[in-house]
Amino acid sequence: IAGITQAPTSQILAAGRRMTLRCTQDMRHNAMYWYRQDLGLGLRLIHYSNTAGTTGKGEVPDGYSVSRANTDDFPLTLASAVPSQTSVYFCASSPGTSGSEQFFGPGTRLTVL
Amino acid sequence: GQNIDQPTEMTATEGAIVQINCTYQTSGFNGLFWYQQHAGEAPTFLSYNVLDGLEEKGRFSSFLSRSKGYSYLLLKELQMKDSASYLCAVRDGDYKLSFGVGTTVTVRA
């Protein structure tokens, strides 16, 4: 059982390029989330999806887009990367029911030059 | 929105006890979580409190007072492997989590 996986593990990207971070879970969780983690700022929610076919904006959505075509996949796209998007990105999933915790993927370290 | 405060760093000796405090101000409350995160790794779930009181799980305990907007995580019999960052997170009614910046605990021999 893989749980939740992310790809790539790390990436160096030129500013202005388009990039999609992949996230897949095999736990049949309804809810999925994307966070970025920056030193001194903690984890901040970018976008979320409570169920397949729906998405919502988190605390820092600008410059990012997501889609949720099915239960398992929740890709995060940077349409035109900027250096301030250099961060560690974590995908997470949750059954969505009250009391259930979120399970985190291993993270993607992204550097935008 | 949520405002979550916790100390940024704490240091303790192996075998000792450390208490990490977390205070929060929220527009909605549906539970408080504690996560552990080792350097370079993903956060992993430690505890969940939604009602007032103490939840004990082995060497780790978590306490919640909703009226005071206060929680703490208690780590007993500290081990070197407990050196990590501990994240306090509050969940709103829409299952979204807001995280504090995390408390880095260093355990010394």
Side-chain angles (χ1 to χ4, degrees):
Chain A
I1 296 177
I4 182 164
T5 59
Q6 293 183 234
T9 302
S10 65
Q11 182 75 44
I12 298 174
L13 189 66
R17 296 298 294 268
R18 180 184 179 89
M19 176 74 190
T20 296
L21 307 185
R22 300 185 297 278
C23 176
T24 300
Q25 53 101 1
D26 63 3
M27 298 176 282
R28 307 303 295 171
H29 284 172
N30 285 323
M32 297 186 74
Y33 311 86
W34 273 105
Y35 296 91
R36 59 178 292 173
Q37 188 172 38
D38 303 287
L39 196 63
L41 295 177
L43 282 160
R44 293 181 292 168
L45 182 65
I46 304 170
H47 284 288
Y48 66 96
S49 169
N50 285 335
T51 189
T54 69
T55 62
K57 294 182 179 180
E59 181 184 353
V60 287
D62 293 344
Y64 306 95
S65 63
V66 291
S67 61
R68 188 85 185 279
N70 57 62
T71 298
D72 298 346
D73 301 300
F74 191 43
L76 176 74
T77 298
L78 290 67
S80 179
V82 295
S84 61
Q85 292 178 309
T86 293
S87 187
V88 180
Y89 290 86
F90 286 102
C91 179
S93 71
S94 166
T97 57
S98 178
S100 56
E101 72 267 29
Q102 292 184 13
F103 297 82
F104 284 80
T108 294
R109 183 174 295 276
L110 182 68
T111 302
V112 182
L113 301 176
Chain B
Q2 324 280 27
N3 185 22
I4 301 167
D5 291 315
Q6 55 181 126
T8 55
E9 295 182 350
M10 301 183 75
T11 301
T13 305
E14 196 173 16
I17 298 173
V18 69
Q19 177 174 315
I20 305 169
N21 296 323
C22 173
T23 58
Y24 62 90
Q25 295 174 317
T26 65
S27 57
F29 181 82
N30 192 20
L32 188 143
F33 293 78
W34 285 96
Y35 281 81
Q36 181 190 58
Q37 186 178 24
H38 285 100
E41 298 182 7
T44 56
F45 170 75
L46 284 179
S47 70
Y48 169 69
N49 296 71
V50 67
L51 300 176
D52 290 351
L54 188 68
E55 294 283 341
E56 296 187 87
K57 192 183 293 186
R59 295 188 298 112
F60 294 179
S61 303
S62 58
F63 171 83
L64 175 67
S65 169
R66 289 171 297 169
S67 63
K68 295 182 179 179
Y70 168 70
S71 173
Y72 68 73
L73 179 69
L74 196 68
L75 286 63
K76 306 174 198 172
E77 301 170 16
L78 278 173
Q79 302 175 11
M80 299 300 288
K81 66 178 182 180
D82 297 330
S83 291
S85 184
Y86 292 85
L87 315 179
C88 175
V90 174
R91 187 168 67 183
D92 63 22
D94 199 27
Y95 304 125
K96 300 196 304 294
L97 287 181
S98 293
F99 286 83
V101 297
T103 300
T104 299
V105 172
T106 302
V107 180
R108 293 181 176 170

mmCIF file of all heavy atoms in Angstrom, chain B residues 13-54:
data_model
loop_
_atom_site.group_PDB
_atom_site.id
_atom_site.type_symbol
_atom_site.label_atom_id
_atom_site.label_comp_id
_atom_site.label_asym_id
_atom_site.label_seq_id
_atom_site.Cartn_x
_atom_site.Cartn_y
_atom_site.Cartn_z
ATOM 1 N N THR B 13 16.451 17.860 28.122
ATOM 2 C CA THR B 13 17.423 16.777 28.311
ATOM 3 C C THR B 13 16.745 15.429 28.133
ATOM 4 O O THR B 13 15.567 15.248 28.474
ATOM 5 C CB THR B 13 18.042 16.865 29.707
ATOM 6 O OG1 THR B 13 18.599 18.175 29.884
ATOM 7 C CG2 THR B 13 19.143 15.827 29.893
ATOM 8 N N GLU B 14 17.490 14.489 27.609
ATOM 9 C CA GLU B 14 16.997 13.122 27.451
ATOM 10 C C GLU B 14 16.437 12.606 28.780
ATOM 11 O O GLU B 14 17.050 12.788 29.822
ATOM 12 C CB GLU B 14 18.158 12.231 26.996
ATOM 13 C CG GLU B 14 17.764 10.891 26.433
ATOM 14 C CD GLU B 14 18.957 10.148 25.851
ATOM 15 O OE1 GLU B 14 20.108 10.533 26.151
ATOM 16 O OE2 GLU B 14 18.734 9.186 25.098
ATOM 17 N N GLY B 15 15.250 12.002 28.725
ATOM 18 C CA GLY B 15 14.600 11.479 29.923
ATOM 19 C C GLY B 15 13.688 12.478 30.616
ATOM 20 O O GLY B 15 12.899 12.096 31.493
ATOM 21 N N ALA B 16 13.772 13.731 30.240
ATOM 22 C CA ALA B 16 12.970 14.771 30.877
ATOM 23 C C ALA B 16 11.581 14.860 30.248
ATOM 24 O O ALA B 16 11.212 14.040 29.397
ATOM 25 C CB ALA B 16 13.692 16.117 30.765
ATOM 26 N N ILE B 17 10.810 15.856 30.714
ATOM 27 C CA ILE B 17 9.471 16.132 30.192
ATOM 28 C C ILE B 17 9.476 17.525 29.560
ATOM 29 O O ILE B 17 10.092 18.447 30.094
ATOM 30 C CB ILE B 17 8.423 16.102 31.326
ATOM 31 C CG1 ILE B 17 8.369 14.716 31.974
ATOM 32 C CG2 ILE B 17 7.043 16.496 30.805
ATOM 33 C CD1 ILE B 17 7.479 14.649 33.212
ATOM 34 N N VAL B 18 8.799 17.665 28.438
ATOM 35 C CA VAL B 18 8.665 18.979 27.831
ATOM 36 C C VAL B 18 7.196 19.221 27.494
ATOM 37 O O VAL B 18 6.494 18.301 27.080
ATOM 38 C CB VAL B 18 9.559 19.117 26.572
ATOM 39 C CG1 VAL B 18 9.062 18.251 25.428
ATOM 40 C CG2 VAL B 18 9.638 20.561 26.127
ATOM 41 N N GLN B 19 6.741 20.452 27.718
ATOM 42 C CA GLN B 19 5.359 20.831 27.426
ATOM 43 C C GLN B 19 5.358 21.935 26.380
ATOM 44 O O GLN B 19 5.964 22.988 26.576
ATOM 45 C CB GLN B 19 4.660 21.328 28.700
ATOM 46 C CG GLN B 19 3.232 21.803 28.458
ATOM 47 C CD GLN B 19 2.508 22.150 29.744
ATOM 48 O OE1 GLN B 19 2.558 21.421 30.733
ATOM 49 N NE2 GLN B 19 1.809 23.275 29.751
ATOM 50 N N ILE B 20 4.705 21.695 25.269
ATOM 51 C CA ILE B 20 4.624 22.665 24.186
ATOM 52 C C ILE B 20 3.226 23.268 24.206
ATOM 53 O O ILE B 20 2.235 22.560 24.020
ATOM 54 C CB ILE B 20 4.885 22.002 22.826
ATOM 55 C CG1 ILE B 20 6.217 21.261 22.829
ATOM 56 C CG2 ILE B 20 4.870 23.057 21.719
ATOM 57 C CD1 ILE B 20 6.421 20.370 21.612
ATOM 58 N N ASN B 21 3.146 24.573 24.404
ATOM 59 C CA ASN B 21 1.858 25.247 24.477
ATOM 60 C C ASN B 21 1.430 25.790 23.125
ATOM 61 O O ASN B 21 2.269 26.165 22.292
ATOM 62 C CB ASN B 21 1.919 26.398 25.481
ATOM 63 C CG ASN B 21 2.175 25.913 26.886
ATOM 64 O OD1 ASN B 21 1.674 24.871 27.294
ATOM 65 N ND2 ASN B 21 2.969 26.653 27.642
ATOM 66 N N CYS B 22 0.129 25.841 22.925
ATOM 67 C CA CYS B 22 -0.439 26.368 21.685
ATOM 68 C C CYS B 22 -1.691 27.153 22.045
ATOM 69 O O CYS B 22 -2.572 26.625 22.734
ATOM 70 C CB CYS B 22 -0.772 25.232 20.736
ATOM 71 S SG CYS B 22 -1.672 25.730 19.237
ATOM 72 N N THR B 23 -1.757 28.392 21.632
ATOM 73 C CA THR B 23 -2.970 29.182 21.821
ATOM 74 C C THR B 23 -3.527 29.545 20.458
ATOM 75 O O THR B 23 -2.774 29.698 19.483
ATOM 76 C CB THR B 23 -2.713 30.465 22.628
ATOM 77 O OG1 THR B 23 -1.729 31.251 21.953
ATOM 78 C CG2 THR B 23 -2.226 30.142 24.022
ATOM 79 N N TYR B 24 -4.853 29.662 20.394
ATOM 80 C CA TYR B 24 -5.465 29.926 19.102
ATOM 81 C C TYR B 24 -6.657 30.851 19.247
ATOM 82 O O TYR B 24 -7.313 30.905 20.289
ATOM 83 C CB TYR B 24 -5.878 28.611 18.423
ATOM 84 C CG TYR B 24 -6.910 27.819 19.185
ATOM 85 C CD1 TYR B 24 -8.263 28.011 18.967
ATOM 86 C CD2 TYR B 24 -6.520 26.859 20.122
ATOM 87 C CE1 TYR B 24 -9.212 27.281 19.669
ATOM 88 C CE2 TYR B 24 -7.467 26.129 20.824
ATOM 89 C CZ TYR B 24 -8.801 26.343 20.600
ATOM 90 O OH TYR B 24 -9.739 25.625 21.304
ATOM 91 N N GLN B 25 -6.911 31.581 18.189
ATOM 92 C CA GLN B 25 -8.121 32.407 18.058
ATOM 93 C C GLN B 25 -8.719 32.038 16.722
ATOM 94 O O GLN B 25 -8.038 32.127 15.689
ATOM 95 C CB GLN B 25 -7.773 33.897 18.097
ATOM 96 C CG GLN B 25 -7.212 34.369 19.425
ATOM 97 C CD GLN B 25 -6.745 35.820 19.356
ATOM 98 O OE1 GLN B 25 -6.111 36.228 18.396
ATOM 99 N NE2 GLN B 25 -7.062 36.591 20.377
ATOM 100 N N THR B 26 -9.959 31.586 16.722
ATOM 101 C CA THR B 26 -10.529 31.052 15.495
ATOM 102 C C THR B 26 -11.913 31.609 15.238
ATOM 103 O O THR B 26 -12.625 32.016 16.153
ATOM 104 C CB THR B 26 -10.648 29.519 15.571
ATOM 105 O OG1 THR B 26 -11.585 29.185 16.600
ATOM 106 C CG2 THR B 26 -9.315 28.885 15.887
ATOM 107 N N SER B 27 -12.291 31.579 13.969
ATOM 108 C CA SER B 27 -13.645 31.958 13.584
ATOM 109 C C SER B 27 -14.569 30.747 13.577
ATOM 110 O O SER B 27 -15.766 30.880 13.426
ATOM 111 C CB SER B 27 -13.623 32.610 12.193
ATOM 112 O OG SER B 27 -13.044 31.731 11.262
ATOM 113 N N GLY B 28 -14.003 29.583 13.720
ATOM 114 C CA GLY B 28 -14.764 28.345 13.797
ATOM 115 C C GLY B 28 -13.834 27.268 14.318
ATOM 116 O O GLY B 28 -12.630 27.311 14.053
ATOM 117 N N PHE B 29 -14.350 26.323 15.061
ATOM 118 C CA PHE B 29 -13.480 25.299 15.670
ATOM 119 C C PHE B 29 -14.108 23.920 15.509
ATOM 120 O O PHE B 29 -15.266 23.706 15.871
ATOM 121 C CB PHE B 29 -13.255 25.608 17.142
ATOM 122 C CG PHE B 29 -12.359 24.616 17.831
ATOM 123 C CD1 PHE B 29 -10.983 24.724 17.725
ATOM 124 C CD2 PHE B 29 -12.892 23.558 18.557
ATOM 125 C CE1 PHE B 29 -10.147 23.806 18.357
ATOM 126 C CE2 PHE B 29 -12.068 22.638 19.184
ATOM 127 C CZ PHE B 29 -10.687 22.760 19.086
ATOM 128 N N ASN B 30 -13.293 23.004 14.976
ATOM 129 C CA ASN B 30 -13.766 21.640 14.807
ATOM 130 C C ASN B 30 -12.651 20.663 15.140
ATOM 131 O O ASN B 30 -12.490 19.649 14.483
ATOM 132 C CB ASN B 30 -14.268 21.426 13.382
ATOM 133 C CG ASN B 30 -15.036 20.132 13.231
ATOM 134 O OD1 ASN B 30 -15.515 19.562 14.207
ATOM 135 N ND2 ASN B 30 -15.136 19.645 12.022
ATOM 136 N N GLY B 31 -11.849 20.997 16.146
ATOM 137 C CA GLY B 31 -10.829 20.071 16.592
ATOM 138 C C GLY B 31 -9.428 20.646 16.477
ATOM 139 O O GLY B 31 -9.171 21.549 15.681
ATOM 140 N N LEU B 32 -8.538 20.124 17.306
ATOM 141 C CA LEU B 32 -7.139 20.561 17.310
ATOM 142 C C LEU B 32 -6.243 19.352 17.170
ATOM 143 O O LEU B 32 -6.451 18.330 17.835
ATOM 144 C CB LEU B 32 -6.822 21.325 18.602
ATOM 145 C CG LEU B 32 -5.451 21.997 18.662
ATOM 146 C CD1 LEU B 32 -5.536 23.332 19.385
ATOM 147 C CD2 LEU B 32 -4.406 21.103 19.292
ATOM 148 N N PHE B 33 -5.265 19.459 16.292
ATOM 149 C CA PHE B 33 -4.357 18.366 15.983
ATOM 150 C C PHE B 33 -2.922 18.747 16.353
ATOM 151 O O PHE B 33 -2.535 19.918 16.282
ATOM 152 C CB PHE B 33 -4.376 18.057 14.476
ATOM 153 C CG PHE B 33 -5.677 17.501 13.970
ATOM 154 C CD1 PHE B 33 -6.756 18.329 13.735
ATOM 155 C CD2 PHE B 33 -5.801 16.142 13.700
ATOM 156 C CE1 PHE B 33 -7.960 17.825 13.257
ATOM 157 C CE2 PHE B 33 -6.997 15.624 13.217
ATOM 158 C CZ PHE B 33 -8.079 16.468 12.996
ATOM 159 N N TRP B 34 -2.158 17.737 16.710
ATOM 160 C CA TRP B 34 -0.707 17.880 16.851
ATOM 161 C C TRP B 34 -0.038 16.919 15.868
ATOM 162 O O TRP B 34 -0.425 15.741 15.769
ATOM 163 C CB TRP B 34 -0.243 17.565 18.267
ATOM 164 C CG TRP B 34 -0.550 18.659 19.256
ATOM 165 C CD1 TRP B 34 -1.625 18.735 20.089
ATOM 166 C CD2 TRP B 34 0.254 19.810 19.534
ATOM 167 N NE1 TRP B 34 -1.546 19.870 20.861
ATOM 168 C CE2 TRP B 34 -0.403 20.547 20.550
ATOM 169 C CE3 TRP B 34 1.468 20.290 19.044
ATOM 170 C CZ2 TRP B 34 0.109 21.738 21.065
ATOM 171 C CZ3 TRP B 34 1.971 21.475 19.549
ATOM 172 C CH2 TRP B 34 1.299 22.184 20.547
ATOM 173 N N TYR B 35 0.953 17.459 15.149
ATOM 174 C CA TYR B 35 1.734 16.672 14.213
ATOM 175 C C TYR B 35 3.204 16.760 14.606
ATOM 176 O O TYR B 35 3.665 17.774 15.143
ATOM 177 C CB TYR B 35 1.572 17.202 12.784
ATOM 178 C CG TYR B 35 0.291 16.791 12.105
ATOM 179 C CD1 TYR B 35 -0.899 17.472 12.351
ATOM 180 C CD2 TYR B 35 0.271 15.725 11.212
ATOM 181 C CE1 TYR B 35 -2.071 17.103 11.733
ATOM 182 C CE2 TYR B 35 -0.907 15.343 10.581
ATOM 183 C CZ TYR B 35 -2.070 16.034 10.851
ATOM 184 O OH TYR B 35 -3.235 15.659 10.241
ATOM 185 N N GLN B 36 3.949 15.714 14.280
ATOM 186 C CA GLN B 36 5.397 15.694 14.447
ATOM 187 C C GLN B 36 6.043 15.729 13.069
ATOM 188 O O GLN B 36 5.568 15.041 12.149
ATOM 189 C CB GLN B 36 5.832 14.418 15.182
ATOM 190 C CG GLN B 36 7.328 14.307 15.431
ATOM 191 C CD GLN B 36 7.709 12.921 15.944
ATOM 192 O OE1 GLN B 36 7.458 11.905 15.300
ATOM 193 N NE2 GLN B 36 8.308 12.874 17.125
ATOM 194 N N GLN B 37 7.083 16.509 12.927
ATOM 195 C CA GLN B 37 7.775 16.569 11.640
ATOM 196 C C GLN B 37 9.281 16.558 11.874
ATOM 197 O O GLN B 37 9.847 17.509 12.407
ATOM 198 C CB GLN B 37 7.379 17.818 10.858
ATOM 199 C CG GLN B 37 7.963 17.869 9.456
ATOM 200 C CD GLN B 37 7.516 19.088 8.668
ATOM 201 O OE1 GLN B 37 7.147 20.116 9.232
ATOM 202 N NE2 GLN B 37 7.539 18.969 7.342
ATOM 203 N N HIS B 38 9.928 15.465 11.458
ATOM 204 C CA HIS B 38 11.382 15.415 11.490
ATOM 205 C C HIS B 38 11.927 16.174 10.296
ATOM 206 O O HIS B 38 11.267 16.298 9.251
ATOM 207 C CB HIS B 38 11.870 13.969 11.473
ATOM 208 C CG HIS B 38 11.700 13.265 12.782
ATOM 209 N ND1 HIS B 38 10.656 12.403 13.041
ATOM 210 C CD2 HIS B 38 12.432 13.314 13.918
ATOM 211 C CE1 HIS B 38 10.765 11.943 14.282
ATOM 212 N NE2 HIS B 38 11.823 12.484 14.831
ATOM 213 N N ALA B 39 13.135 16.688 10.440
ATOM 214 C CA ALA B 39 13.757 17.514 9.408
ATOM 215 C C ALA B 39 13.785 16.768 8.068
ATOM 216 O O ALA B 39 14.229 15.614 7.994
ATOM 217 C CB ALA B 39 15.164 17.907 9.826
ATOM 218 N N GLY B 40 13.292 17.424 7.026
ATOM 219 C CA GLY B 40 13.320 16.843 5.694
ATOM 220 C C GLY B 40 12.241 15.822 5.420
ATOM 221 O O GLY B 40 12.252 15.187 4.360
ATOM 222 N N GLU B 41 11.316 15.651 6.377
ATOM 223 C CA GLU B 41 10.276 14.651 6.211
ATOM 224 C C GLU B 41 8.891 15.284 6.254
ATOM 225 O O GLU B 41 8.739 16.465 6.520
ATOM 226 C CB GLU B 41 10.397 13.579 7.290
ATOM 227 C CG GLU B 41 11.707 12.819 7.225
ATOM 228 C CD GLU B 41 11.791 11.718 8.280
ATOM 229 O OE1 GLU B 41 10.777 11.468 8.972
ATOM 230 O OE2 GLU B 41 12.861 11.121 8.409
ATOM 231 N N ALA B 42 7.879 14.468 5.984
ATOM 232 C CA ALA B 42 6.492 14.934 6.034
ATOM 233 C C ALA B 42 5.982 14.942 7.470
ATOM 234 O O ALA B 42 6.448 14.175 8.310
ATOM 235 C CB ALA B 42 5.617 14.026 5.187
ATOM 236 N N PRO B 43 5.003 15.792 7.758
ATOM 237 C CA PRO B 43 4.362 15.737 9.081
ATOM 238 C C PRO B 43 3.634 14.407 9.270
ATOM 239 O O PRO B 43 3.047 13.861 8.331
ATOM 240 C CB PRO B 43 3.358 16.894 9.036
ATOM 241 C CG PRO B 43 3.831 17.783 7.942
ATOM 242 C CD PRO B 43 4.472 16.884 6.938
ATOM 243 N N THR B 44 3.657 13.909 10.507
ATOM 244 C CA THR B 44 2.900 12.701 10.848
ATOM 245 C C THR B 44 2.011 12.996 12.054
ATOM 246 O O THR B 44 2.402 13.725 12.964
ATOM 247 C CB THR B 44 3.820 11.510 11.157
ATOM 248 O OG1 THR B 44 4.726 11.883 12.206
ATOM 249 C CG2 THR B 44 4.604 11.088 9.940
ATOM 250 N N PHE B 45 0.843 12.420 12.058
ATOM 251 C CA PHE B 45 -0.176 12.677 13.060
ATOM 252 C C PHE B 45 0.242 12.148 14.435
ATOM 253 O O PHE B 45 0.746 11.035 14.566
ATOM 254 C CB PHE B 45 -1.479 11.996 12.627
ATOM 255 C CG PHE B 45 -2.554 11.964 13.665
ATOM 256 C CD1 PHE B 45 -3.272 13.098 13.958
ATOM 257 C CD2 PHE B 45 -2.835 10.795 14.349
ATOM 258 C CE1 PHE B 45 -4.282 13.068 14.914
ATOM 259 C CE2 PHE B 45 -3.836 10.744 15.307
ATOM 260 C CZ PHE B 45 -4.563 11.889 15.586
ATOM 261 N N LEU B 46 0.022 12.983 15.470
ATOM 262 C CA LEU B 46 0.273 12.559 16.847
ATOM 263 C C LEU B 46 -1.012 12.440 17.642
ATOM 264 O O LEU B 46 -1.234 11.445 18.329
ATOM 265 C CB LEU B 46 1.194 13.566 17.553
ATOM 266 C CG LEU B 46 2.673 13.550 17.230
ATOM 267 C CD1 LEU B 46 3.383 14.636 18.035
ATOM 268 C CD2 LEU B 46 3.278 12.183 17.532
ATOM 269 N N SER B 47 -1.845 13.494 17.615
ATOM 270 C CA SER B 47 -3.008 13.481 18.499
ATOM 271 C C SER B 47 -4.091 14.402 17.973
ATOM 272 O O SER B 47 -3.839 15.293 17.149
ATOM 273 C CB SER B 47 -2.619 13.913 19.911
ATOM 274 O OG SER B 47 -2.293 15.284 19.937
ATOM 275 N N TYR B 48 -5.304 14.173 18.497
ATOM 276 C CA TYR B 48 -6.482 14.951 18.119
ATOM 277 C C TYR B 48 -7.326 15.194 19.361
ATOM 278 O O TYR B 48 -7.588 14.265 20.127
ATOM 279 C CB TYR B 48 -7.289 14.183 17.079
ATOM 280 C CG TYR B 48 -8.659 14.733 16.789
ATOM 281 C CD1 TYR B 48 -8.821 15.940 16.128
ATOM 282 C CD2 TYR B 48 -9.806 14.025 17.161
ATOM 283 C CE1 TYR B 48 -10.081 16.441 15.840
ATOM 284 C CE2 TYR B 48 -11.073 14.508 16.879
ATOM 285 C CZ TYR B 48 -11.202 15.717 16.217
ATOM 286 O OH TYR B 48 -12.460 16.213 15.938
ATOM 287 N N ASN B 49 -7.711 16.446 19.573
ATOM 288 C CA ASN B 49 -8.625 16.792 20.669
ATOM 289 C C ASN B 49 -9.777 17.616 20.093
ATOM 290 O O ASN B 49 -9.541 18.570 19.346
ATOM 291 C CB ASN B 49 -7.930 17.654 21.729
ATOM 292 C CG ASN B 49 -6.804 16.947 22.447
ATOM 293 O OD1 ASN B 49 -5.741 16.695 21.875
ATOM 294 N ND2 ASN B 49 -7.023 16.627 23.708
ATOM 295 N N VAL B 50 -10.991 17.242 20.453
ATOM 296 C CA VAL B 50 -12.132 18.063 20.068
ATOM 297 C C VAL B 50 -12.939 18.461 21.308
ATOM 298 O O VAL B 50 -13.628 19.473 21.300
ATOM 299 C CB VAL B 50 -13.018 17.359 19.017
ATOM 300 C CG1 VAL B 50 -13.696 16.134 19.617
ATOM 301 C CG2 VAL B 50 -14.018 18.321 18.407
ATOM 302 N N LEU B 51 -12.844 17.668 22.380
ATOM 303 C CA LEU B 51 -13.492 17.996 23.650
ATOM 304 C C LEU B 51 -12.431 18.399 24.665
ATOM 305 O O LEU B 51 -11.265 18.022 24.542
ATOM 306 C CB LEU B 51 -14.280 16.790 24.166
ATOM 307 C CG LEU B 51 -15.393 16.284 23.259
ATOM 308 C CD1 LEU B 51 -16.022 15.030 23.862
ATOM 309 C CD2 LEU B 51 -16.441 17.370 23.033
ATOM 310 N N ASP B 52 -12.839 19.149 25.669
ATOM 311 C CA ASP B 52 -11.911 19.570 26.707
ATOM 312 C C ASP B 52 -11.356 18.364 27.449
ATOM 313 O O ASP B 52 -12.064 17.393 27.692
ATOM 314 C CB ASP B 52 -12.619 20.490 27.712
ATOM 315 C CG ASP B 52 -12.967 21.831 27.117
ATOM 316 O OD1 ASP B 52 -12.535 22.126 25.997
ATOM 317 O OD2 ASP B 52 -13.682 22.604 27.785
ATOM 318 N N GLY B 53 -10.085 18.473 27.817
ATOM 319 C CA GLY B 53 -9.501 17.419 28.631
ATOM 320 C C GLY B 53 -8.221 16.894 28.039
ATOM 321 O O GLY B 53 -7.660 17.438 27.091
ATOM 322 N N LEU B 54 -7.752 15.827 28.652
ATOM 323 C CA LEU B 54 -6.457 15.242 28.329
ATOM 324 C C LEU B 54 -6.635 13.946 27.552
ATOM 325 O O LEU B 54 -7.421 13.086 27.932
ATOM 326 C CB LEU B 54 -5.696 14.964 29.632
ATOM 327 C CG LEU B 54 -4.240 14.527 29.532
ATOM 328 C CD1 LEU B 54 -3.381 15.661 29.004
ATOM 329 C CD2 LEU B 54 -3.747 14.066 30.900
#
